[in-house]
Amino acid sequence: MPLVHMRDMLQHAHRNRYAVGAFDLVSLEFLEAIMAGAEAARAPVILSLAESHFEYFDFELAMAATVAAARRASVPVAIHLDHGEHFDSAVRGINLGCNGVMIDASHHPLEENIALTRQVVEMAHACGVPVEGELGYVPGVEGEDAERHPGDVVYTSVEDAKRYVDETGVDFLAVSIGTVHGRMKGEPKLDFDRLAEIDAALGIPLVIHGGTGLSDEQFRRLIERGVTKINYYTALADAAGRRMQDNAGNDARSYTDFTRGVRDAIREEVVRCIELWGSAGQADAVLDTAERWEPVEHVILYNVEGLTDEDVEEMMAEGRRVLSKIPGVLRVGTGQAVKEDAQYRFCWLVTFCHPAVIDSYRDHPDHRRFADERFRPYAGGRVSIDYRMIED
Ligand code: 13P
């Protein structure tokens, strides 16, 4: 199960001066192609899902496929919420299986950016999940033309970056040094000196958004100066689009005619990037050093006194609704024994994304309230154990 802690994955890249590709996916074809590329190049990889793309796919369904793809991979994988807009977006991403989240409050004034980011960091760290913050402004929307991007680049200043990282506790910082999201117009001018100063001042993995359109030489210079995660989307989408245009020219008529070869086109661009950014061949070294991202099963077996079966069903339904919203809870399962004479008639199976959630869930006010008022008074006879799940 090579889902690994993203902090360890990027620390390895930072120490060894290479960058991991964080490729945004918008369909199953992207997911399969990115994974095929990472497997072929034996590279660690980040599967990114951007909130700005949620109009193209159902986030919950896409996460189920993304988690399945990561779990069956033989290379180390992390799953990242890209450009999370709100606190609740970060919670939702974590509870659906993201093990890294970005909170993008970079369009707010510095104080507000710091306040919101700090709130997300506190919540996410209590779930074991690392956080990427952004400072400065990288204009544009992934997949669109540069001309349509509102506003100019606002460069990240070294002083603000230092203060922002100190006060928020983010694990990775997305910096604005001249890139734009989407298709570039003309040659991007990157401020490498500023990047080197930020790297020296912070010493944490740096992230570049708007990877599309940079030259091989620019990538090399970015990575030499501390960039360890490169966000990349538009070039993949364009490679897919070109393949579909070719198919249209060859008399494609059905959906599968149009999309034939799209996976190959995306995979080729993924492999080109992975090789250029130095992550090719690093999979085994990352697997040797990175903490495995393993869920914990919080198991409670219990009997009730003073409640009818109907009351118990109501209590379970409320528990499923309330407890599943607590950060770090992947699933709340409730059950009743198949056999009447079972030692314990009922169970909770609550899946935490990481062992850190054992404590933060226990102390969460919604859990305390539910447990103290709705559950414990009626469930005197119970056992409660947390299990680290052992999987392949
Ligand atoms: P590009 O679409 O320019 O590659 O940028 C992707 C990105 O930064 C996603 O966060």
Side-chain angles (χ1 to χ4, degrees):
M1 134 113 175
L3 253 178
V4 301
H5 207 300
M6 196 167 140
R7 171 206 61 209
D8 296 344
M9 178 192 275
L10 290 186
Q11 290 294 352
H12 186 269
H14 197 242
R15 277 196 306 280
N16 294 285
R17 290 283 167 191
Y18 67 88
V20 178
F23 300 103
D24 285 305
L25 58 95
V26 291
S27 73
L28 216 47
E29 268 126 4
F30 276 70
L31 173 60
E32 290 173 46
I34 295 163
M35 286 314 305
E39 292 276 2
R42 298 293 309 152
V45 71
I46 296 171
L47 298 169
S48 270
L49 297 96
E51 189 161 356
S52 57
H53 288 162
F54 287 0
E55 63 184 295
Y56 305 135
F57 58 85
D58 180 317
F59 183 42
E60 191 176 336
L61 293 182
M63 279 302 297
T66 305
V67 171
R71 287 166 72 117
R72 75 175 189 191
S74 74
V75 294
V77 181
I79 304 176
H80 192 60
L81 173 71
D82 193 18
H83 292 288
E85 291 163 19
H86 314 284
F87 180 84
D88 289 347
S89 324
V91 175
R92 182 162 181 244
I94 291 171
N95 287 12
L96 288 175
C98 291
N99 67 345
V101 291
M102 175 186 190
I103 177 71
D104 183 0
S106 58
H107 45 289
H108 293 301
L110 183 61
E111 300 297 332
E112 281 173 43
N113 187 356
I114 288 176
L116 175 55
T117 306
R118 192 192 297 128
Q119 208 193 351
V120 170
V121 168
E122 273 169 21
M123 177 279 296
H125 282 184
C127 301
V129 173
V131 177
E132 173 184 333
E134 176 163 328
L135 202 56
Y137 175 60
V138 177
V141 181
E142 301 83 353
E144 294 187 2
D145 290 320
E147 299 95 283
R148 290 198 280 148
H149 296 163
D152 295 324
V153 176
V154 177
Y155 289 83
T156 306
S157 86
V158 184
E159 297 72 35
D160 286 353
K162 182 112 192 52
R163 180 174 162 214
Y164 177 81
V165 171
D166 285 347
E167 293 187 18
T168 61
V170 288
D171 304 86
F172 325 119
L173 182 67
V175 291
S176 174
I177 52 131
T179 58
V180 297
H181 292 112
R183 289 178 214 101
M184 301 265 179
K185 189 171 179 238
E187 259 287 288
K189 291 189 187 38
L190 305 187
D191 190 340
F192 292 107
D193 292 341
R194 180 187 296 264
L195 179 64
E197 277 181 59
I198 295 172
D199 182 38
L202 302 186
I204 64 170
L206 301 179
V207 181
I208 281 292
H209 283 251
T212 294
L214 301 182
S215 69
D216 293 6
E217 180 55 21
Q218 285 174 320
F219 278 127
R220 265 190 286 275
R221 294 178 72 186
L222 290 173
I223 293 165
E224 276 166 16
R225 291 163 179 77
V227 168
T228 47
K229 172 174 179 277
I230 295 174
N231 284 29
Y232 205 72
Y233 168 69
T234 303
L236 304 184
D238 284 356
R242 278 193 302 278
R243 186 61 59 98
M244 290 168 84
Q245 273 169 344
D246 290 349
N247 290 340
N250 290 330
D251 290 336
R253 293 177 61 183
S254 70
Y255 173 80
T256 46
D257 287 345
F258 278 106
T259 55
R260 185 157 293 129
V262 158
R263 268 188 302 239
D264 296 334
I266 298 172
R267 177 180 43 78
E268 282 159 24
E269 179 61 6
V270 166
V271 170
R272 186 187 76 81
C273 292
I274 283 175
E275 285 174 353
L276 179 62
W277 301 340
S279 58
Q282 298 286 354
D284 293 330
V286 172
L287 286 174
D288 281 349
T289 54
E291 177 187 325
R292 293 286 191 282
W293 189 261
E294 288 166 330
V296 165
E297 205 69 45
H298 177 64
V299 179
I300 300 178
L301 309 176
Y302 65 100
N303 288 314
V304 291
E305 276 164 38
L307 290 183
T308 63
D309 279 8
E310 214 173 55
D311 293 338
V312 176
E313 268 175 39
E314 253 176 49
M315 185 260 291
M316 286 175 165
E318 187 180 332
R320 288 193 299 271
R321 202 171 50 251
V322 171
L323 303 174
S324 61
K325 293 196 180 71
I326 295 176
V329 173
L330 298 177
R331 173 177 174 267
V332 178
T334 46
Q336 180 166 354
V338 177
K339 296 202 173 163
E340 283 284 324
D341 61 351
Q343 193 181 350
Y344 293 100
R345 279 200 70 211
F346 302 102
C347 75
W348 297 99
L349 298 175
V350 185
T351 312
F352 298 152
C353 70
H354 184 271
V357 183
I358 295 171
D359 292 345
S360 55
Y361 174 85
R362 184 198 57 221
D363 299 340
H364 194 281
D366 292 345
H367 170 257
R368 276 179 186 275
R369 198 173 311 114
F370 180 80
D372 290 344
E373 290 171 19
R374 297 287 278 126
F375 178 62
R376 288 180 184 138
Y378 308 101
R382 61 177 189 271
V383 288
S384 167
I385 304 176
D386 295 300
Y387 290 96
R388 184 173 58 83
M389 299 317 287
I390 297 164
E391 294 169 355
D392 289 339

